């Protein structure tokens, strides 16, 4: 049975991540690749981004975690994603899938269901995406929004940190998937890892907003804060609670 995530857990995992510097491979929305890579690097991880069919086995077999984002999806990317999942499962690598805009496209929804049947560690989406996805099997289910809701078989948690400007910068949600993957690389309990990642990103957003004037300056301040955030910030500002359906 999972332990319940706490501010102390999040602070401890942040310190562990920075010490270990896990490698995260990202099959990512092409619109936000740089922002995602910068954010993973800022928090203490090492990102890789290739979607080359010739290289994917070498990369995925040696990284610590995999994040898959369906944001810009075509036939070539579907093929590489299938390959990456097979490799990750064969090597026991944790992986997260973000079924971006699966509520817009029946074929995208079918592909998301195909991936979920392959037993990801985590499925993360917004309210509309999670609602249409339905059952996620054994995966940790994360519904993001003004409050992030996390649920597995035993535990339900709510993260209330964040700032409205996160919704005004393209890619903050995609980046959170990459940061969750980095935390999964240092903590095998998915709900502890994901809660820590979402708490760190949410607290970073709150602190960044203090120094920003709007979405443009917020983006830069957010990356700066991911780099500079301390465990003490998490302990003083984290808002983690139980939630009910």
């Amino acid at each position: 049975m999972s332990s319940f995530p706490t501010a102390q857990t999040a602070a401890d995992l942040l310190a562990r991540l920075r010490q270990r510097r896990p490698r995260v491979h990202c099959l990512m929305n092409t619109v936000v690749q740089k922002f995602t890579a910068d954010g993973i690097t800022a928090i203490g991880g090492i990102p890789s981004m290739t979607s080359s069919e010739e290289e994917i086995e070498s990369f995925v077999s040696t990284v610590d975690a995999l994040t898959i984002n369906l944001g810009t999806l075509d036939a070539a990317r579907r093929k590489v994603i299938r390959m990456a999942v097979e490799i990750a499962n064969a090597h026991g690598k944790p992986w997260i899938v973000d079924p971006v805009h699966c509520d817009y496209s029946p074929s995208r929804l079918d592909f998301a269901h195909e991936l979920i049947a392959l037993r990801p560690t985590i499925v993360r989406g917004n309210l509309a995406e999670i609602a249409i996805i339905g059952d996620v099997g054994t995966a940790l289910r994360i519904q993001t929004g003004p409050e992030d809701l996390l649920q597995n078989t035993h535990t339900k948690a709510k993260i209330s940190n964040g700032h409205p400007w996160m919704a005004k910068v393209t890619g903050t949600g995609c980046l959170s998937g990459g940061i969750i993957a980095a935390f999964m690389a240092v903590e095998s309990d998915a709900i502890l890892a994901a809660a820590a990642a979402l708490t760190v990103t949410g607290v970073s957003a709150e602190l960044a907003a203090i120094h920003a004037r709007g979405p443009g300056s917020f983006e830069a301040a957010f990356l700066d804060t991911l780099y500079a955030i301390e465990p003490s910030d998490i302990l003083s500002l984290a808002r983690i609670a139980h939630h009910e359906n």
Side-chain angles (χ1 to χ4, degrees), residues 12-22 43-46 186:
D12 291 346
L13 290 180
L14 173 62
R16 190 188 307 171
L17 188 157
R18 286 173 167 166
Q19 180 180 25
R20 295 190 186 177
R21 300 198 67 214
I43 202 66
I46 302 172
V186 300

Side-chain angles (χ1 to χ4, degrees), residues 159-226:
I159 313 295
S160 300
N161 294 104
H163 191 276
W165 281 341
M166 295 180 80
K168 301 298 184 182
V169 175
T170 301
T172 53
C174 303
L175 170 57
S176 76
I179 292 178
I180 289 169
F183 276 84
M184 285 197 298
V186 300
E187 172 52 61
S188 60
D189 189 325
I191 197 165
L192 296 184
L198 293 168
T199 300
V200 169
T201 54
V203 170
S204 293
E206 292 171 8
L207 294 173
I210 296 170
H211 305 288
R213 300 183 304 280
S217 54
F218 173 77
E219 179 177 345
F222 182 53
L223 291 175
D224 286 346
T225 309
L226 285 172

Side-chain angles (χ1 to χ4, degrees), residues 7-8 14 26 33 35 69 72-73 86 93 96 105 111-112 124 136 157 175-178 183 186 197 199 220 226-227:
Q8 186 65 62
L14 173 62
C26 308
Q33 285 182 334
F35 183 55
N69 180 294
T72 47
L73 196 60
E86 181 178 359
K93 309 290 185 180
I96 176 173
S105 162
F111 187 55
R124 172 215 169 275
V136 298
L175 170 57
S176 76
F183 276 84
V186 300
T199 300
L226 285 172
Y227 174 77

Side-chain angles (χ1 to χ4, degrees), residues 11-216:
D12 291 346
L13 290 180
L14 173 62
R16 190 188 307 171
L17 188 157
R18 286 173 167 166
Q19 180 180 25
R20 295 190 186 177
R21 300 198 67 214
R23 290 176 55 206
V24 177
H25 192 72
C26 308
L27 290 173
M28 184 58 56
N29 182 340
T30 56
V31 176
V32 299
Q33 285 182 334
K34 183 180 186 301
F35 183 55
T36 300
D38 287 346
I40 292 171
T41 302
I43 202 66
I46 302 172
S48 54
M49 314 295 287
T50 185
S51 58
S52 164
E53 184 177 338
E54 293 76 18
E55 295 183 315
I56 197 67
E57 182 172 6
S58 297
F59 275 81
V60 175
S61 64
T62 57
V63 296
D64 298 299
L66 171 68
T67 181
I68 293 171
N69 180 294
L70 304 189
T72 47
L73 196 60
D74 56 27
R77 189 167 293 268
R78 287 172 189 254
K79 182 177 181 180
V80 170
I81 288 172
R82 290 185 178 105
M83 293 172 64
V85 168
E86 181 178 359
I87 295 160
N89 283 344
H91 288 82
K93 309 290 185 180
W95 58 286
I96 176 173
V97 60
D98 187 344
V100 176
H101 294 327
C102 66
D103 53 323
Y104 289 11
S105 162
S107 65
R108 186 178 294 242
L109 178 60
D110 289 344
F111 187 55
H113 281 143
E114 176 187 331
L115 295 179
I116 290 167
L118 297 173
R119 300 171 67 89
T121 311
I122 296 175
V123 177
R124 172 215 169 275
N126 64 27
L127 174 61
E129 293 158 356
I130 289 297
I132 199 168
I133 282 288
D135 182 25
V136 298
T138 60
L140 174 68
R141 175 182 183 269
I142 300 176
Q143 177 186 303
T144 56
E147 294 179 325
D148 298 323
L149 306 179
L150 296 75
Q151 181 175 346
N152 63 17
T153 306
H154 308 290
T155 307
K156 300 176 184 178
K158 175 174 65 177
I159 313 295
S160 300
N161 294 104
H163 191 276
W165 281 341
M166 295 180 80
K168 301 298 184 182
V169 175
T170 301
T172 53
C174 303
L175 170 57
S176 76
I179 292 178
I180 289 169
F183 276 84
M184 285 197 298
V186 300
E187 172 52 61
S188 60
D189 189 325
I191 197 165
L192 296 184
L198 293 168
T199 300
V200 169
T201 54
V203 170
S204 293
E206 292 171 8
L207 294 173
I210 296 170
H211 305 288
R213 300 183 304 280

